[in-house]
Amino acid sequence: MKCGTEKLNQKVPRGEALQKAMAFLPAHSEGAVNHSDTRTAGCLLTGIPGLEHLHVWLSIPFCTMYIAALGGNGILIGVILSQPSLHEPMYIFLSMLASADVLLSTSTMPKTLANFWLGSSHISFDGCLTQMFFIHFLFVADSAVLLAMAFDRYVAICSPLRYSTILTKRVMGQIAAATLTRSFIIMFPSIFLLKRLHYCRINVIEHTFCEHMGIARLSCSDISVNVWYGLAAALLSTGLDIILIAVSYVHILQAVFRLSSQEARSKALSTCGSHVCVILLFYIPALFSVFAYRFGGKHIPRYVHILLANLYVVIPPMLNPVIYGVRTKQILEGAKQMFANITKEFQ
């Protein structure tokens, strides 16, 4: 059996990955792989296919961006929490976005870097499902927070006199609860949709992290329900958010260009400009990755898909604090005040 397996692995381009995966399977027979439930063996994340020889070098920018995301968002959250003047809906939503960004990048980057540096590619099946759930849950939550921020700007510009009466602390709490509840309701069924499938192959995932369709394609069962559920979940969450954000900004721009004061118009556009930059950073890489994966086919190399998938969970979290810190005067002043207070404590 050992010799037969080695010959098989020599013919398969992913031979090394298959050998690692076989090490976690019970040593019965070659036919056991096709008839037993291979979930007990866990999954093997190969990293970025075709660029395995560059994993160590790729880890340098990924690690740098991850550390920058942790530091930048940590400082941003600290500034907002420590400065009473920033305890307003706009900045509270921003702290929610920063928290979701940190958790989203943390759900992927540590395992990816462990794979790149240590070759730690194995993950249990339940661990893979857990990672998949949190990645998608946090992505949907991120999208909902961006929608809430668009609503905040809509109310601030289109109904400024009613701003404080509409976005009360109670409403803010309800928005936060709705964000988490919606994300949970949308993503929780995917765990059961994946658990109901039968897995009889060697579970090699050509990716750096676990995602819904990547796990489903390991199955020997019909995955039509998973495909349609994934599409419906994406359209009813992220797709709907994009439409509502676009509608909000159409109304915002109409209101802005009706302002008689050039100074007021410039200030409104500057405030909204930061949010638009964050929206574009979040959605463009994610949507490009999704459409390239589904419709790119053989025209776009597999490693391009994987690189994009990794970039959209680390680049927006890294750049969001920079965008808001540079473009928002109140946050910049709050950061100076926070560091000044810290310096005084140590003197």
Side-chain angles (χ1 to χ4, degrees):
M1 175 183 173
K2 184 176 180 182
C3 294
T5 305
E6 289 175 352
K7 290 179 181 178
L8 175 65
N9 289 333
Q10 290 173 358
K11 296 177 182 179
V12 181
R14 297 179 303 171
E16 185 178 349
L18 290 171
Q19 282 181 336
K20 290 182 180 179
M22 289 291 288
F24 293 97
L25 290 172
H28 296 306
S29 64
E30 293 182 13
V33 174
N34 293 323
H35 298 289
S36 64
D37 189 344
T38 57
R39 284 182 292 187
T40 56
C43 303
L44 200 72
L45 297 167
T46 63
I48 303 176
L51 298 179
E52 291 86 354
H53 61 292
L54 296 176
H55 276 179
V56 174
W57 293 106
L58 288 171
S59 69
I60 297 173
F62 279 126
C63 183
T64 303
M65 288 187 286
Y66 177 55
I67 293 173
L70 292 181
N73 285 287
I75 293 172
L76 185 60
I77 294 170
V79 169
I80 293 172
L81 292 178
S82 65
Q83 302 300 310
S85 61
L86 298 179
H87 293 175
E88 298 178 4
M90 174 183 172
Y91 303 110
I92 292 173
F93 284 135
L94 182 55
S95 67
M96 291 169 57
L97 181 68
S99 301
D101 281 344
V102 168
L103 293 173
L104 179 62
S105 57
T106 300
S107 66
T108 59
M109 278 297 110
K111 181 61 180 175
T112 298
L113 294 174
N115 193 349
F116 287 173
W117 289 334
L118 307 174
S120 178
S121 55
H122 182 260
I123 185 172
S124 68
F125 188 80
D126 288 337
C128 199
L129 288 181
T130 302
Q131 186 188 49
M132 177 275 302
F133 171 78
F134 279 106
I135 290 171
H136 294 315
F137 172 86
L138 292 165
F139 184 85
V140 174
D142 244 335
S143 181
V145 173
L146 289 174
L147 175 60
M149 293 174 74
F151 176 69
D152 169 78
R153 291 299 86 204
Y154 169 78
V155 175
I157 292 174
C158 298
S159 301
L161 299 179
R162 299 174 57 201
Y163 183 80
S164 59
T165 59
I166 293 175
L167 287 171
T168 61
K169 290 182 178 180
R170 182 181 177 184
V171 171
M172 295 289 293
Q174 291 173 341
I175 290 174
T179 296
L180 297 175
T181 303
R182 186 190 75 153
S183 301
F184 182 83
I185 291 173
I186 288 174
M187 293 316 307
F188 192 64
S190 63
I191 296 176
F192 297 98
L193 289 175
L194 289 170
K195 275 186 169 288
R196 71 181 178 87
L197 301 174
H198 176 60
Y199 298 85
C200 60
R201 303 189 184 100
I202 298 172
N203 298 329
V204 177
I205 301 176
E206 292 185 328
H207 212 303
T208 56
F209 55 80
C210 300
E211 48 91 26
H212 179 242
M213 288 311 301
I215 300 173
R217 288 193 175 96
L218 298 174
S219 171
C220 305
S221 309
D222 181 15
I223 62 171
S224 300
V225 175
N226 296 73
V227 172
W228 286 109
Y229 181 81
L231 183 60
L235 291 176
L236 293 176
S237 57
T238 307
L240 184 60
D241 291 346
I242 292 172
I243 292 172
L244 292 175
I245 289 171
V247 171
S248 296
Y249 268 93
V250 168
H251 288 288
I252 287 170
L253 289 175
Q254 289 176 345
V256 167
F257 288 116
R258 283 199 298 265
L259 294 173
S260 56
S261 170
Q262 178 66 32
E263 183 181 353
R265 192 182 305 156
S266 300
K267 184 178 179 181
L269 288 174
S270 177
T271 303
C272 293
S274 299
H275 187 216
V276 170
C277 289
V278 170
I279 290 171
L280 294 177
L281 275 173
F282 181 76
Y283 285 117
I284 289 178
L287 292 176
F288 186 83
S289 177
V290 169
F291 285 113
Y293 184 76
R294 289 184 177 273
F295 306 112
K298 298 178 180 179
H299 302 292
I300 301 178
R302 177 68 175 163
Y303 67 84
V304 174
H305 299 170
I306 309 302
L307 281 172
L308 284 172
N310 280 275
L311 290 176
Y312 82 69
V313 298
V314 73
I315 287 184
M318 177 189 68
L319 293 181
N320 288 351
V322 177
I323 292 172
Y324 275 99
V326 171
R327 295 180 63 91
T328 309
K329 182 180 178 181
Q330 292 87 339
I331 291 178
L332 197 58
E333 291 178 351
K336 292 177 181 178
Q337 183 64 42
M338 185 184 74
F339 285 115
N341 293 338
I342 292 173
T343 303
K344 288 180 182 179
E345 291 180 4
F346 283 97
Q347 286 179 349

